[in-house]
Amino acid sequence: MKHDNIIRIVDMFTSAENAQNMQDAYFVTHLMDTTLERVLREHRKNSIQVLNDSQIKLFTYQMLRALKYIHSAGIIHRDLKPANIAINVDCDLKILDFGLARQAEAEMTGYVATRWYRAPEIMLNWRHYDKKVDIWSVGCIMVEMITGQPIFDGKDNAIDQLTKIINVCGTPSDEFLEKITSNEAKNYIRNHMPQLERKNFRQYFPQTTPDQAVDFLDKTLVIDPDQRPTAVEALKHPYFEEFHDADDEPAAEPINENIGENTWDLNEWRTLLWNEIASFANTNHSPND
């Protein structure tokens, strides 16, 4: 994918002479100064305000700009978190790590690496969740940039994570529960989860937080994904007005290649990777350079 806010491979090579002997492959990307996780960790360590509203707005805008491109290609990232957001001193942002990315129409599992940024529909065993899971993650990351703390820092189990979400976003409606295919999850929410009202987001965030930022989060951090904005809709929110330019927010052609569930052995994987490296190198230099 070729986009300003997505990490790109600028070179790839191997020292092997042929595919069968290949043990190592090297991928070169643009150099970035740090990750958002490191910046936020420094904030917590020193109890200082690291990011101002202008920076928070710009970083969130760039995430959404990247997601418009990723989603238009038919891809869901599924693992957006501060550790996968690279930034530099000029406040340029690039999304990293597509190791858990999947095509939108694929059958999904509930696994993503970091539970704190996981959308509730994933934990509720939806098999065909959509691109709105990435929008939820953006909301979680934005809150962390504002407050310096993860908003849904659940323990290492889905029940505690879901409880944290309900404590802020309120108990799911019956209309939402009917969309859940897992009867076990549906019954647990109805019979064991507390009945809570959604928090007033204006009261939940520091008074220094602009009202438009609060409104954006109020629209983004909702349990029902059908009520969340798409990346395209989110970019049009008034909070991002100073950056939003539809002519400078490119979309991608859908990616049609789907490897699906394959049964390739190790040598076939080596050959595929070798061919990819050779194809890339042919436009620049030989694979052995």
Side-chain angles (χ1 to χ4, degrees), residues 19-21 264-274:
Q20 287 66 41
N21 294 329
W264 298 329
D265 62 27
L266 182 57
N267 284 330
E268 289 172 311
W269 274 108
R270 280 199 179 104
T271 300
L272 286 164
L273 183 55
W274 174 268

Side-chain angles (χ1 to χ4, degrees), residues 37-207:
E37 180 193 40
R38 292 176 185 170
V39 172
L40 294 172
R41 190 193 313 146
E42 195 67 20
H43 169 101
R44 287 189 286 269
K45 178 181 176 182
N46 297 308
S47 298
I48 57 174
Q49 176 88 23
V50 175
L51 300 175
N52 58 41
D53 179 64
S54 295
Q55 292 169 319
I56 293 168
K57 184 187 305 183
L58 180 56
F59 287 148
T60 307
Y61 169 77
Q62 289 178 88
M63 280 187 271
L64 293 170
R65 186 172 180 265
L67 284 179
K68 175 185 175 181
Y69 186 90
I70 294 167
H71 291 170
S72 64
I75 299 296
I76 306 174
H77 187 281
R78 297 206 313 157
D79 196 23
L80 280 181
K81 55 185 178 181
N84 288 341
I85 305 294
I87 56 178
N88 64 20
V89 293
D90 296 321
C91 289
D92 296 324
L93 176 150
K94 295 183 187 295
I95 290 178
L96 314 173
D97 196 346
F98 284 75
L100 290 174
R102 295 292 184 273
Q103 288 184 283
E105 67 273 13
E107 184 93 347
M108 301 291 187
T109 68
Y111 178 78
V112 294
T114 307
R115 196 181 302 273
W116 292 355
Y117 309 94
R118 189 181 308 188
E121 60 267 31
I122 299 178
M123 289 177 286
L124 293 171
N125 298 320
W126 287 18
R127 308 295 287 184
H128 289 285
Y129 53 79
D130 64 16
K131 302 162 189 175
K132 301 285 188 68
V133 300
D134 289 338
I135 300 298
W136 174 274
S137 300
V138 169
C140 295
I141 294 168
M142 182 175 163
V143 172
E144 196 167 342
M145 288 192 286
I146 292 171
T147 66
Q149 301 292 332
I151 184 171
F152 303 123
D153 53 345
K155 298 175 184 176
D156 193 22
N157 66 79
I159 298 301
D160 188 66
Q161 185 67 31
L162 201 55
T163 300
K164 293 269 187 181
I165 291 171
I166 288 175
N167 283 341
V168 175
C169 299
T171 304
S173 66
D174 287 337
E175 180 183 1
F176 171 77
L177 291 177
E178 288 306 314
K179 300 176 186 179
I180 300 175
T181 55
S182 167
N183 287 328
E184 182 182 4
K186 193 184 305 185
N187 291 335
Y188 188 88
I189 291 174
R190 281 180 170 151
N191 299 323
H192 300 283
M193 286 287 188
Q195 296 296 308
L196 298 171
E197 295 293 324
R198 180 177 176 84
K199 276 191 168 48
N200 182 321
F201 271 37
R202 175 67 274 177
Q203 297 174 0
Y204 193 75
F205 294 103
Q207 290 304 310

